Structures are given as structure tokens and as C-alpha cells.
Amino acid sequence: GESVGLHLPTLSVQEGDNSIINCAYSNSASDYFIWYKQESGKGPQFIIDIRSNMDKRQGQRVTVLLNKTVKHLSLQIAATQPGDSAVYFCAENRAGGFKTIFGAGTRLFVKA
Amino acid sequence: NAGVTQTPKFQVLKTGQSMTLQCAQDMNHNSMYWYRQDPGMGLRLIYYSASEGTTDKGEVPNGYNVSRLNKREFSLRLESAAPSQTSVYFCASSGLAGGYYEQYFGPGTRLTVT
């Protein structure tokens, strides 16, 4: 089986409930933040991003909130589905920056 | 449009053996990256190439070398594999979109060194 993420923080939610995954970022100079989803056996996949001039951004069933004061990022998934089960990573970067810094990830389990 | 492709998908090496991981992208991106991912940890940058002809060290470059063969291809070489290099390796590419670099990842290479 997939060995990545064995010791990650875990969030378990009931199908249909909303999920909130939190992330603290480290670099005050970062001004671009991304959430990635990684399913078992696959590479990370872009979900949604937000720039530092925004506090909130919405996509399809997902919302990202940014609190620059406390350097905190969250991903909200509405009406969580079994297909949302994965490891979710937050990442930070800055304008023109080649290097993206990834957090350790959170594993989301969706119970049917 | 295949995105980012990696070969091989799986590999088992003995300590001291060498191998090259291949990566190619068809999105005309300038920048390419190699990461490793270990259990309980996020992605750690090994090397990156901001543009064709340039390569730079990332967070964990020791024991690895890279070659940016052309704009499409970026390879990672392990000259003398060690058990500590057992990991999942991801290649990524990125293009500039609105001043920021969005990264796209390949499916990964699962490497075991015994």
C-alpha cells in the first residue's frame, strides 16, 4: 500500500459533512499560497490558490481562507465525498519565486 | 497533452548501484523540479532548473545530480544509491501565470534501496 503520509495528522469526516483542513505557514514574505490534493499512488494535484491581497477565495466545493496576521491558511470542503479522501498539502511561495515550500500534509478520511 | 511524465514508476536498487530517473513535460514550461517525499513529511526539493541551461540545489541535494537535457526533459541521477534514498520521487514543472509559478506534478517514482 501507499507508504507516504503514515504519520500525518488525520481528519475523519462523515460523507456529506463539511471538512476544514488547517495549515500554518512559515515565511512572512510569502504572498502566494496553494492547496494540493494527493491521492494514493499519485502525484500532488493543484486544487486552489490564493494571493496575499485576498482573504478568501472560492472554487467548486472548496474555499481557501487566509489569515496573514497569524500566518494561517485553511481549506474548506463542502459536502465532503468519498472521492475527497486524500492527503492535502498547503504550500507557500512568493511572486517570481521558483521554490515552493510544502507543509507536511493532512490525511482526510471520508466515512460513508 | 500528457503533462509531466516520469520513468520508471518503480525501482529497486542495491546499495552502491546507480540509476537515472527520467522526467519530461509537454507544457512548454521553463522551470522543472525534483522532489522527494518520505512518510510523514511533505515534499522536499532536491534540485530545480529555473530555465533551460540552469540548475540549482534545493533543500536536500546531497547524493544526487541533475541534468536539464533540453526544455522538456530534466533527469535525476543517483550515483551510488544508499538506503536513506529510499523514497518517492516526484518531478514537477511550472510556468509563470500572473506573476506566480503554478506547479504540475508527475505520477512519481517509487524507489527502494536495499
Side-chain angles (χ1 to χ4, degrees):
Chain A
E2 177 60 62
S3 63
V4 170
L6 274 178
H7 306 293
L8 293 175
T10 299
L11 175 64
S12 185
V13 300
Q14 198 70 38
E15 180 179 1
D17 288 351
N18 296 334
S19 303
I20 300 176
I21 300 171
N22 296 303
C23 174
Y25 65 92
S26 57
N27 189 348
S28 299
S30 296
D31 59 2
Y32 178 54
F33 305 90
I34 316 106
W35 280 100
Y36 287 90
K37 174 185 180 183
Q38 186 176 24
E39 296 176 280
S40 181
K42 297 183 179 180
Q45 180 183 13
F46 173 92
I47 303 173
I48 191 169
D49 60 1
I50 188 168
R51 299 181 186 182
S52 61
N53 60 351
M54 302 172 69
D55 297 323
K56 178 179 180 179
R57 191 171 186 210
Q58 288 185 290
Q60 188 176 13
R61 282 202 307 118
V62 294
T63 301
V64 55
L65 299 177
L66 175 63
N67 185 332
K68 296 180 287 293
T69 302
V70 295
K71 294 193 285 187
H72 184 268
L73 198 64
S74 68
L75 177 70
Q76 300 178 2
I77 305 173
T80 312
Q81 301 169 359
D84 295 327
S85 292
V87 176
Y88 290 82
F89 293 96
C90 66
E92 58 184 295
N93 204 334
R94 54 182 175 80
F98 298 110
K99 297 184 189 179
T100 298
I101 301 171
F102 289 83
T106 296
R107 181 177 293 281
L108 176 65
F109 284 110
V110 181
K111 297 176 286 186
Chain B
N1 187 339
V4 180
T5 57
Q6 293 182 235
T7 56
K9 293 191 185 312
F10 301 93
Q11 184 70 50
V12 178
L13 293 178
K14 294 184 178 180
T15 298
Q17 287 185 316
S18 62
M19 78 160 295
T20 299
L21 282 64
Q22 306 288 351
C23 174
Q25 53 93 8
D26 62 2
M27 294 174 282
N28 201 35
H29 285 162
N30 284 323
S31 304
M32 298 185 73
Y33 311 79
W34 277 104
Y35 293 90
R36 61 177 288 171
Q37 187 175 40
D38 301 309
M41 302 187 73
L43 294 157
R44 291 187 292 171
L45 184 64
I46 304 172
Y47 271 93
Y48 69 101
S49 171
S51 61
E52 187 179 356
T54 69
T55 60
D56 286 284
K57 294 178 180 179
E59 181 185 355
V60 288
N62 291 343
Y64 305 95
N65 284 300
V66 291
S67 295
R68 183 73 183 267
L69 304 170
N70 48 55
K71 191 172 186 179
R72 289 188 64 248
E73 299 172 288
F74 189 37
S75 63
L76 178 72
R77 182 160 178 83
L78 286 70
E79 291 291 352
S80 179
S84 61
Q85 294 178 304
T86 293
S87 189
V88 182
Y89 291 84
F90 289 100
C91 177
S93 71
S94 69
L96 196 58
Y100 295 88
Y101 286 88
E102 294 184 21
Q103 293 196 10
Y104 297 84
F105 286 83
T109 295
R110 283 143 185 83
L111 175 67
T112 301
V113 183
T114 61

